[in-house]
């Protein structure tokens, strides 16, 4: 754990609650403006607060999915969502997405979110493997994933189109069984 997090007792990592819906939507809108690595562009993010509430409920009711938020002094500064497959053939594997507000990068919040996911997955009887896709030039994210034991499994050529430029994604995974 980083020195910052050791000293800051106010960082909490917990499952999202329905009452987080409005703040979570605001958080995603800020993330979209701050980074090119989120899956949506700003005008595409049309999720209403009611839909976000519904999504949070879905995560909380599912056995093989989890939506975590990191709060610092009760403000959402990071989130992580993981969902395994719906069918029996794929319910043991899933991918996650993670984002932290730029002002809070490099403080160890991303690492704590992923450690929480790995611990949850180890306790979960169904989950065997956690995977992710990351843009090949996202050096801090790749460094973080490797630090936590994720291995590169392949390159997905030209998978992400950011303003007309095609980027390769790296597929990474960790077995948690
Ligand atoms: C990726 C992201 C979630 C990381 O969150 P974070 O809270 O900053 O992560 P941490 O502080 O736990 O770890 C960051 C690590 O990257 C390292 N790092 C920072 N810049 C780096 C660089 N240019 N090259 C390599 N490593 C770098 C930090 O030193 C730290 O490693 P350390 O703990 O060994 O010192 C955050 O940067 C983010 O939200 N980015 C935008 C969205 C995104 O890219 N999501 C992932 C999509 S796959």
């Amino acid at each position: 754990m980083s020195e910052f997090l050791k000293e800051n007792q106010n960082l909490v990592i917990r499952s999202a609650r329905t009452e987080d819906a409005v703040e979570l939507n605001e958080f995603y809108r800020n993330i979209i403006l701050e980074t090119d690595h989120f899956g949506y562009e700003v005008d595409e993010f049309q999720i209403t607060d009611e839909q976000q509430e519904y999504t949070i409920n879905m995560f909380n009711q599912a056995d093989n999915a989890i939506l975590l938020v990191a709060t610092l002094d009760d403000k959402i500064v990071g989130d992580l969502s993981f969902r395994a497959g719906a069918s029996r053939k794929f319910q043991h594997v899933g991918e996650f997405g993670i984002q932290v507000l730029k002002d809070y990068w490099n403080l160890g919040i991303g690492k704590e979110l992923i450690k929480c996911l790995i611990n949850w997955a180890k306790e979960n009887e169904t989950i065997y493997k956690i995977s992710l896709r990351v843009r090949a030039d996202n050096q801090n994210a790749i460094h973080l994933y490797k630090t936590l034991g994720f291995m590169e499994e392949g390159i997905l050529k030209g998978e992400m189109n950011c303003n007309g430029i095609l980027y390769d994604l790296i597929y990474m995974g960790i077995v948690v069984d």
Side-chain angles (χ1 to χ4, degrees):
M1 193 180 280
S2 75
E3 285 306 311
F4 169 82
L5 290 182
K6 264 189 241 165
E7 285 162 18
N8 197 313
Q9 301 300 314
N10 297 326
L11 181 90
V12 173
I13 294 182
R14 58 167 174 79
S15 291
R17 306 177 189 125
T18 46
E19 56 266 34
D20 295 322
V22 174
E23 190 183 350
L24 201 52
N25 269 349
E26 196 53 37
F27 166 81
Y28 289 134
R29 283 188 206 99
N30 286 330
I31 290 284
I32 292 170
L33 295 175
E34 286 183 352
T35 168
D36 226 7
H37 295 282
F38 195 67
Y40 294 92
E41 290 178 8
V42 70
D43 56 330
E44 292 175 322
F45 188 80
Q46 303 284 354
I47 299 171
T48 65
D49 296 339
E50 291 71 30
Q51 286 168 330
Q52 192 60 258
E53 259 186 47
Y54 178 82
T55 302
I56 293 169
N57 258 330
M58 288 291 99
F59 269 101
N60 288 339
Q61 282 165 21
D63 291 333
N64 61 355
I66 190 164
L67 175 55
L68 296 171
V69 291
T71 67
L72 207 49
D73 298 323
D74 290 330
K75 171 190 159 122
I76 296 176
V77 295
D79 96 308
L80 180 155
S81 61
F82 169 91
R83 205 191 302 254
S87 69
R88 258 182 241 126
K89 285 183 179 165
F90 294 103
Q91 65 185 5
H92 63 297
V93 294
E95 288 189 29
F96 77 91
I98 181 171
Q99 33 278 322
V100 172
L101 289 176
K102 207 166 199 168
D103 281 350
Y104 302 89
W105 284 8
N106 299 321
L107 300 175
I109 295 171
K111 185 181 274 182
E112 290 307 308
L113 277 163
I114 299 171
K115 276 163 61 180
C116 196
L117 169 67
I118 292 173
N119 288 338
W120 170 85
K122 282 185 173 161
E123 297 282 308
N124 186 297
E125 287 178 6
T126 316
I127 308 299
Y128 168 76
K129 182 184 171 191
I130 301 170
S131 302
L132 64 94
R133 284 169 290 163
V134 58
R135 218 169 84 177
D137 63 343
N138 196 345
Q139 291 307 324
N140 50 340
I142 293 167
H143 170 89
L144 172 60
Y145 303 144
K146 285 188 174 167
T147 305
L148 289 166
F150 287 80
M151 309 280 281
E152 289 189 21
E153 297 188 359
I155 307 278
L156 307 168
K157 299 298 286 180
E159 281 268 319
M160 194 177 204
N161 181 340
C162 295
N163 301 315
I165 300 172
L166 295 182
Y167 290 88
D168 295 349
L169 299 183
I170 301 177
Y171 198 84
M172 302 181 82
I174 186 173
V175 169
V176 292
D177 198 23

